[in-house]
Amino acid sequence: MRIQWSLLAGLLFALITAIFAVINVEPVQVNLLFGTFDVPLILLILGCTVLGALIVGSYSIYLQYKMQRKIKMLEQQLAHVIDATGYLMPTEALVPTEEDSTNKI
């Protein structure tokens, strides 16, 4: 459900940005360190939106990669601790075996 809300919010933001960009089509002057140039405001708005989306998306992918590495490391540590101690997970300890079901009859 969270993904659907995120998708809906993203589409709404894209629609608002597109409407705002279409309304503002007059050229504007952009000043950079090495000079100035004129560009239509619609291209400037859309370009900045795409650049922002790329930055946020790249950072999100980086965080996801970092989290996956941490999860893998923790799973390896857990497996090592389980092997060293012989600990059974509570779900494994409570699973009835075939012998348990035949002895109750």
Side-chain angles (χ1 to χ4, degrees):
M1 190 63 149
R2 181 177 179 214
I3 294 174
Q4 291 172 345
W5 282 109
S6 297
L7 180 63
L8 185 63
L11 290 174
L12 182 65
F13 178 73
L15 179 66
I16 291 171
T17 303
I19 291 171
F20 181 72
V22 169
I23 292 171
N24 295 294
V25 292
E26 58 274 350
V28 293
Q29 187 175 23
V30 178
N31 298 318
L32 300 174
L33 293 174
F34 53 85
T36 62
F37 62 94
D38 291 328
V39 64
L41 188 56
I42 186 171
L43 293 179
L44 190 62
I45 292 170
L46 294 177
C48 290
T49 302
V50 168
L51 183 63
L54 287 174
I55 291 170
V56 169
S58 298
Y59 186 67
S60 175
I61 290 171
Y62 166 73
L63 288 179
Q64 186 176 13
Y65 172 74
K66 190 175 170 183
M67 187 180 306
Q68 288 294 333
R69 284 184 54 202
K70 183 160 187 146
I71 289 171
K72 189 174 183 179
M73 180 192 67
L74 291 173
E75 286 175 344
Q76 290 173 349
Q77 288 179 354
L78 179 62
H80 176 70
V81 168
I82 288 173
D83 290 342
T85 61
Y87 177 76
L88 290 176
M89 300 296 285
T91 55
E92 295 172 358
L94 297 176
V95 174
T97 61
E98 207 171 295
E99 287 180 17
D100 293 339
S101 62
T102 57
N103 291 339
K104 290 183 180 180
I105 299 177

